[in-house]
Amino acid sequence: MKRKRVLAVLAAGLVVAVAAGLYWFQPWKLWVNETVQEALPVARTSESAAPAPKKPMIVATGELISHEHETRGGVRILRADDGSLVLRLENLDTSNGPDLRVLLSDAPVLPGKDGWFVFDDGAHVSAGKLKGNKGSQNYTLPEGTDLTRYSSVSIWCDRFDVSFGAAQLIKTA
């Protein structure tokens, strides 16, 4: 009788450990892709005005390099006529994962493992949760974001504090 109780407790403990591990690592996301295709943001025009909408001004660009996971694509930061800033990921291709974010950071982009863990160490701002691990998507940056403070963008796994990929920003304006 005592042996059955011990085995039942061990089995229950194993079930809890496996469930916690599945929740924490979410391994199924490695095989599930989320594609998001958003159009390039354009300035809003009034209903009475008929001119074609203006394209936003490009203020910074970059190309993603791989860190913890193979990552490719481009990054552009755009300024709309109203002064708002949009971070745009273009042709993104990376792995899916738990709790992925888009971070604007002051950290330098370093290749290899040296660059995996640095993007939340200094000044950084979250543009929000990654909408999809594939495609082109827009992230409105918080009002008052000072681009002179930031030099890079990272696809950041907040759960494990690691960069999936990052881009060094080159200011254009």
Side-chain angles (χ1 to χ4, degrees):
M1 198 65 158
K2 198 174 198 180
R3 182 179 165 130
K4 283 185 179 183
R5 278 192 208 144
V6 169
L7 288 175
V9 168
L10 287 174
L14 180 62
V15 167
V16 168
V18 167
L22 287 172
Y23 170 77
W24 189 253
F25 288 98
Q26 297 179 0
W28 57 87
K29 287 198 170 191
L30 291 173
W31 296 280
V32 176
N33 290 317
E34 295 178 41
T35 301
V36 174
Q37 291 293 352
E38 293 181 327
L40 184 70
V42 292
R44 296 182 197 137
T45 59
S46 67
E47 290 178 25
S48 62
K54 289 183 177 178
K55 288 187 178 179
M57 182 174 73
I58 300 170
V59 295
T61 63
E63 288 297 317
L64 292 163
I65 66 166
S66 298
H67 279 148
E68 171 70 20
H69 293 261
E70 188 174 332
T71 301
R72 291 184 305 276
V75 175
R76 289 198 287 174
I77 297 183
L78 310 165
R79 183 179 308 277
D81 281 347
D82 64 4
S84 64
L85 295 170
V86 173
L87 188 153
R88 180 165 171 83
L89 299 175
E90 295 184 323
N91 303 313
L92 175 66
D93 187 3
T94 191
S95 299
N96 207 341
D99 206 13
L100 294 180
R101 310 274 173 171
V102 179
L103 288 188
L104 192 58
S105 174
D106 68 350
V109 175
L110 304 172
K113 286 190 176 186
D114 291 340
W116 287 15
F117 306 104
V118 299
F119 294 97
D120 68 343
D121 292 345
H124 64 279
V125 64
S126 176
K129 287 188 171 224
L130 186 69
K131 297 174 183 178
N133 64 306
K134 296 191 181 299
S136 297
Q137 45 214 259
N138 305 313
Y139 298 86
T140 302
L141 294 175
E143 189 173 323
T145 299
D146 179 5
L147 289 181
T148 62
R149 295 187 66 196
Y150 307 106
S151 59
S152 59
V153 171
S154 173
I155 306 302
W156 183 255
C157 179
D158 212 31
R159 168 106 15 111
F160 295 104
D161 287 330
V162 67
S163 174
F164 275 33
Q168 191 71 45
L169 290 174
I170 299 165
K171 306 287 193 295
T172 59

